[in-house]
């Protein structure tokens, strides 16, 4: 097993950092043009492929079309190409249609830019990295300023990985947005395609009276591991720029598991060591959702202490093995779970221990530890809730389906400046939390016009409306079978008016079987699917859905693998009665 040459450098960078929580260092632009040598990024950074062992490159050569694209021109080139394309388009030397097709559809994803060619030709979704889902008011206003010029399609989405996506972006504008993000300590680099995705942590980190681990520093450290070049200290880390597939990591900070560790490739679940009492993490592996397979994470039989060195080393080791040994031909079998199964859990554990030992950083991996027992109730994120700090509260605000207009972004930024020292936390439920609100100012906050009246944002939503999650759907996503966000928001309002429930009911929508909206984890999951209905005596194909019931999250997580209904037309007349019947039979709803 070959070790990458940068491992040692990364070790020095990660080990030398302080233990206290510090935000990732201010990032300089990854694109620093070398005046002497022109614009070839290869003189600035090695390629992603240069880190792969020969054997892996050979497999990639015979691999999927995406592997061949990555070999034909290394994805790290996109970090510079986007500037070149933008300049040429701005100067009238070319149009976006003339951008090399493999760049347009594939490599620009390494800048976080996904061409929405099917729905809005020439415009892109730009996905960011927001480690631990923490943003500030200045960043929120920057998002609004960046998309406003694109009119109706210029919106900002909070994603199911507590992340931000900017919509409508044109190539010629991308450099300014990327530079603006980097100046604000954020990036869009390595947020899509075969990259490590946004680091999910606890949205209550540092403010939680039941916290076991503060996930902020760990999420920042892992974000830096995968997307900060340890040599140039600029964004974009070639070492992890050619993975076999997407890779998800999540760190839970409490027994609530707000980070959803069970549906991530690596999930860290906080558990104290049974003998020493030291706080650490049980490591679960391989959770994912896709068209072909949906898998809950499995116990890796590993426990590590909850310190930065241990967490970074373990994740680096798993990533290294995954990068070099993962499947390169069949993308449906390339997620981590398949590699773990190939090794067997014990064999994989052995390989990871050996890899971590080779780093020589003094990290000890132990057997997984018994999880805490005793009653524990998963807590609420919406509304006014206690914090560990006396006199302060956290206030969870519903952002219906995670969609924010530029005006709503600015409204949130203003609220944050007024009540939470500019800080805004994003959740995987696509909502926000204002932390550290002075108890004495809660009434003022709740009385703010932007949280009431006709506003979409609310700190006191109903149990159904407040818990809707939705993927992007047909408005922008080329893979969608149906429209989701507008249907989800409308349908939740309707249900709220028709039934009473006595607890939050999580209804998730997803436009296709990729399940970005995580329908298998929902109380009720609605997945876009074909359906038929009778029109003038004839069966007509219409947009429809499958319905999943009974997914669970938290300590007792469980995925609902099979739909209980299929082929339901996505219209009130058909869907509402089905949902009301499920709400009544499974969740004790009473019709109004
Ligand atoms: Fe996803 C592909 C949107 C979370 C599983 N996902 C896509 C693409 C990129 C498809 C495309 O080319 O357009 C979608 C972009 C649409 C757009 O314009 O926004 C897309 N996924 C999303 C987001 C935005 C949904 C949302 O509205 O919140 C989420 C972005 C997260 C982020 O910030 O990085 C998103 N996607 C997820 C999740 C949930 C999670 O991570 O907890 C999953 C299931 C978990 C998983 O990955 O195992 C998920 N997305 C997929 C898959 C299936 C993966 C597989 O192994 O096959 C695809 C298709 C693929 O990768 O080939 C996909
Ligand atoms: Fe697009 Fe399907 Fe993901 Fe929804 S679930 S965002 S439709 S890929």
């Amino acid at each position: 097993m070959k070790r990458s040459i940068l491992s040692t450098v990364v070790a020095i960078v990660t080990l030398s950092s302080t233990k206290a929580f510090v935000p990732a260092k201010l990032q300089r632009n990854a694109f620093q043009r070398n005046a002497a040598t022109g614009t070839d990024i290869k003189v600035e950074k090695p390629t992603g492929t240069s880190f792969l062992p020969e054997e892996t490159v050979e497999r990639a050569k015979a691999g999927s079309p995406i592997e061949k694209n990555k070999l034909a021109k290394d994805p790290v080139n996109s970090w510079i190409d986007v500037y070149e394309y933008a300049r040429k388009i701005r100067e009238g030397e070319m149009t976006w249609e003339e951008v090399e097709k493999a760049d347009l559809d594939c490599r620009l994803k390494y800048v976080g830019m996904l061409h929405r060619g099917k729905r809005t030709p020439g415009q892109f979704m730009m996905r960011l990295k927001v480690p631990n889902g923490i943003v500030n008011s200045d960043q929120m206003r920057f998002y609004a300023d960046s998309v406003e010029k694109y009119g109706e399609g210029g919106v900002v989405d909070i994603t199911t990985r507590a992340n931000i996506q900017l919509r409508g972006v044109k190539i010629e504008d991308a450099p300014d947005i990327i530079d603006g993000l980097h100046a604000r300590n954020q990036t869009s680099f390595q947020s899509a395609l075969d990259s490590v995705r946004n680091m999910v942590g606890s949205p209550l980190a540092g403010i939680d009276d039941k916290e076991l681990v503060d996930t902020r520093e760990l999420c920042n450290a892992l974000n830096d591991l995968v997307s900060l070049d340890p040599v140039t200290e600029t964004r974009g880390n070639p070492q992890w720029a050619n993975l076999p597939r997407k890779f998800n990591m999540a760190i839970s900070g409490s027994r609530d598991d707000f980070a959803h560790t069970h549906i991530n490739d690596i999930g860290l679940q906080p558990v104290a060591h049974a003998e020493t009492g030291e706080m650490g993490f049980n490591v679960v592996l391989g959770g994912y959702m896709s068209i072909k397979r949906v898998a809950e994470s499995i116990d890796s039989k590993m426990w590590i202490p909850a310190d930065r060195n241990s967490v970074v080393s373990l994740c680096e080791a798993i990533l290294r093995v995954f990068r070099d040994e993962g499947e390169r031909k069949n993308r449906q079998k390339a997620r981590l779970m398949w590699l773990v199964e190939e090794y067997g859990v014990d064999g994989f554990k052995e390989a990871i221990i050996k890899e971590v030992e080779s780093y020589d950083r003094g990290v000890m991996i132990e057997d997984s530890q018994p999880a805490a027992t005793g009653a524990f109730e998963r807590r609420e994120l919406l509304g006014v809730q206690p914090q560990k700090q006396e006199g302060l509260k956290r206030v969870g605000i519903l952002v219906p389906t995670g969609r924010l207009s530029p005006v709503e972004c600015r409204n949130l930024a203003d609220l944050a400046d007024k009540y939470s020292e500019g800080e805004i936390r994003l959740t995987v439920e696509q909502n926000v939390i204002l932390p550290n609100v002075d108890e004495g100012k809660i009434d003022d906050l709740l009385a703010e016009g932007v949280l009431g009246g006709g506003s979409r944002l609310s700190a006191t939503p109903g149990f159904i409306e407040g818990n809707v999650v939705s993927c992007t759907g047909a408005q922008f996503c080329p893979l969608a079978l149906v429209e989701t966000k507008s249907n989800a928001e409308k349908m939740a309002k309707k249900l709220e008016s028709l039934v009473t429930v006595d607890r939050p009911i999580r209804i998730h929508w997803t436009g296709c079987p990729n399940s970005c909206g995580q329908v298998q984890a929902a109380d009720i999951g609605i997945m876009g699917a074909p359906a038929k209905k009778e029109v003038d005596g004839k069966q007509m194909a219409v947009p429809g859905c499958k319905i999943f019931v009974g997914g669970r999250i938290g300590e007792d997580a469980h995925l609902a693998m099979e739909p209980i209904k299929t082929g339901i037309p996505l219209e009130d007349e058909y869907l509402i009665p089905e949902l009301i019947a499920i709400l009544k039979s499974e969740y004790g709803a009473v019709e109004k």
Side-chain angles (χ1 to χ4, degrees):
M1 311 227 175
K2 189 184 156 192
R3 269 196 69 197
S4 64
I5 47 167
L6 277 187
S7 294
T8 323
V9 185
V10 172
I12 293 164
V13 170
T14 53
L15 285 172
S16 63
S17 304
T18 64
K19 279 239 160 192
F21 169 64
V22 276
K25 70 173 68 179
L26 198 72
Q27 298 133 28
R28 278 175 284 139
N29 192 341
F31 173 69
Q32 286 176 327
R33 211 179 285 246
N34 183 327
T37 54
T39 56
D40 185 358
I41 197 156
K42 291 185 191 76
V43 302
E44 305 281 352
K45 293 181 186 238
T47 64
T49 310
S50 69
F51 287 89
L52 305 183
E54 254 171 55
E55 184 270 336
T56 311
V57 177
E58 287 309 310
R59 284 193 296 115
K61 280 183 191 163
S64 66
I66 289 180
E67 290 301 323
K68 288 173 186 155
N69 269 346
K70 291 190 287 185
L71 290 177
K73 183 161 87 172
D74 203 88
V76 305
N77 284 281
S78 65
W79 303 335
I80 197 166
D81 285 349
V82 69
Y83 285 82
E84 281 307 288
Y85 284 136
R87 183 187 60 74
K88 287 185 178 161
I89 293 170
R90 276 200 301 254
E91 291 173 6
E93 280 179 40
M94 69 184 291
T95 63
W96 71 264
E97 286 99 330
E98 290 166 310
V99 169
E100 187 189 334
K101 193 162 163 35
D103 284 345
L104 197 66
D105 296 337
C106 177
R107 292 186 205 102
L108 283 175
K109 292 181 183 175
Y110 286 86
V111 190
M113 287 187 60
L114 282 76
H115 186 218
R116 304 294 74 184
K118 192 168 168 189
R119 317 286 182 192
T120 53
Q123 289 182 286
F124 290 72
M125 173 267 276
M126 187 187 275
R127 181 182 287 163
L128 312 192
K129 285 274 185 89
V130 180
N132 212 135
I134 299 179
V135 301
N136 61 40
S137 53
D138 172 51
Q139 290 162 342
M140 205 39 108
R141 289 194 185 96
F142 180 71
Y143 308 150
D145 294 347
S146 299
V147 300
E148 193 161 42
K149 64 161 114 168
Y150 307 118
E152 249 180 43
V155 290
V156 174
D157 283 336
I158 303 172
T159 77
T160 52
R161 296 194 66 75
N163 192 14
I164 291 286
Q165 291 186 169
L166 309 178
R167 293 203 177 273
V169 178
K170 295 191 173 165
I171 296 185
E172 53 268 42
D173 303 327
D176 286 348
I177 302 180
I178 293 168
D179 290 347
L181 289 170
H182 288 175
R184 288 170 177 79
N185 198 24
Q186 284 194 328
T187 191
S188 62
F189 287 11
Q190 284 167 296
S191 60
L193 208 65
D194 298 339
S195 302
V196 178
R197 303 300 172 87
N198 193 46
M199 272 310 310
V200 181
S202 168
L204 305 187
I207 59 170
D208 181 6
D209 55 339
K210 295 194 169 64
E211 179 165 271
L212 299 172
V213 177
D214 183 337
T215 57
R216 290 175 295 181
E217 186 203 354
L218 301 174
C219 283
N220 273 320
L222 288 175
N223 185 55
D224 283 354
L225 169 75
V226 296
S227 65
L228 185 69
D229 188 313
V231 177
T232 60
E233 294 198 336
T234 54
R235 283 293 154 188
N237 186 351
Q239 190 177 0
W240 309 112
N242 192 347
L243 301 179
R245 200 64 168 96
K246 73 189 288 194
F247 197 88
N248 291 335
M249 303 199 276
I251 311 179
S252 167
S254 66
R255 289 177 66 183
D256 310 87
D257 195 5
F258 291 124
H260 291 183
T261 53
H262 63 296
I263 52 170
N264 278 261
D265 295 286
I266 301 179
L268 302 182
Q269 301 178 340
V271 175
H273 194 282
E275 280 162 31
T276 65
E278 182 182 6
M279 187 47 69
F281 294 110
N282 278 344
V283 182
V284 295
L285 296 177
Y288 81 106
M289 294 162 169
S290 74
I291 286 188
K292 287 279 180 233
R293 181 176 177 186
V294 173
E296 282 170 18
S297 294
I298 52 172
D299 176 12
S300 74
K301 301 191 186 173
M302 291 188 274
W303 179 94
I304 48 161
D307 63 73
R308 183 186 173 121
N309 182 28
S310 303
V311 167
V312 169
S313 300
L314 174 99
C315 292
E316 183 180 343
I318 294 173
L319 270 177
R320 209 287 297 152
V321 171
F322 174 68
R323 183 195 65 194
D324 295 350
E325 299 177 21
E327 168 68 31
R328 296 264 169 180
K329 200 175 180 74
N330 181 351
R331 287 179 67 82
Q332 296 299 347
K333 294 189 172 180
R335 296 292 293 270
L336 181 70
M337 181 64 106
W338 296 88
L339 187 62
V340 175
E341 285 174 343
E342 210 178 300
Y343 265 98
V345 171
D346 293 320
F348 194 75
K349 177 180 175 183
E350 209 175 294
I352 297 307
I353 290 176
K354 197 165 149 212
E355 177 76 10
V356 167
E357 279 171 0
S358 77
Y359 300 163
D360 201 15
R361 300 177 196 162
V363 171
M364 290 295 295
I365 296 177
E366 300 202 36
D367 293 341
S368 49
Q369 298 295 304
T373 51
F376 184 82
E377 204 168 324
R378 196 169 189 272
R379 290 162 299 157
E380 285 308 311
L381 293 176
L382 288 174
V384 181
Q385 306 289 349
Q387 276 191 205
K388 78 172 172 197
Q389 293 84 359
E390 217 169 291
L392 299 180
K393 303 266 190 211
R394 56 178 163 97
V395 181
I397 298 173
L398 166 70
V399 177
T401 69
R403 170 71 42 90
L404 288 164
S405 67
V407 170
E408 287 165 335
C409 287
R410 293 192 185 105
N411 288 342
L412 273 180
D414 291 346
L415 286 184
D417 279 342
K418 205 162 160 191
Y419 296 99
S420 59
E421 292 182 336
E423 186 171 334
I424 301 166
R425 308 259 178 122
L426 313 177
T427 71
V428 296
E429 289 80 17
Q430 304 173 310
N431 296 318
V432 300
I433 296 172
L434 299 184
N436 302 316
V437 181
D438 193 305
E439 251 171 15
K441 292 192 179 157
I442 291 290
D443 289 345
D444 293 349
L445 170 58
L446 296 181
E448 290 281 354
V450 297
L451 294 182
S455 171
R456 291 171 68 241
L457 311 180
S458 167
T460 52
F463 282 142
I464 296 176
E465 267 184 286
N467 292 281
V468 165
V469 167
S470 173
C471 84
T472 305
Q475 188 185 359
F476 296 108
C477 182
L479 307 182
L481 303 173
V482 299
E483 166 54 16
T484 51
K485 281 195 192 282
S486 58
N487 282 327
E489 195 172 342
K490 193 180 72 190
M491 202 74 75
K493 272 195 196 319
K494 183 116 194 171
L495 286 172
E496 200 79 67
S497 72
L498 294 173
V499 296
T500 305
V501 286
D502 62 2
R503 66 174 181 86
I505 306 296
R506 300 173 303 108
I507 302 183
H508 287 216
W509 286 66
T510 214
C512 80
N514 283 313
S515 207
C516 305
Q518 311 151 327
V519 291
Q520 293 86 351
D523 291 327
I524 301 175
I526 299 170
M527 175 188 282
K532 285 189 173 166
K533 75 170 186 181
E534 202 176 296
V535 180
D536 299 334
K538 284 189 192 147
Q539 288 293 310
M540 298 276 291
V542 290
C545 67
K546 297 178 180 177
I547 304 179
F548 294 72
V549 173
R552 297 196 299 271
I553 52 177
E555 280 187 310
D556 180 32
H558 166 72
L559 298 178
M561 296 292 184
E562 295 297 329
I564 62 156
K565 295 268 178 181
T566 57
I568 310 292
L570 216 57
E571 294 168 30
D572 286 7
E573 184 190 339
Y574 299 92
L575 186 54
I576 291 278
E578 295 287 352
L579 294 177
I580 290 184
I582 295 166
L583 284 166
K584 283 165 73 177
S585 65
E586 305 297 320
Y587 300 105
V590 178
E591 281 188 72
K592 285 185 180 166

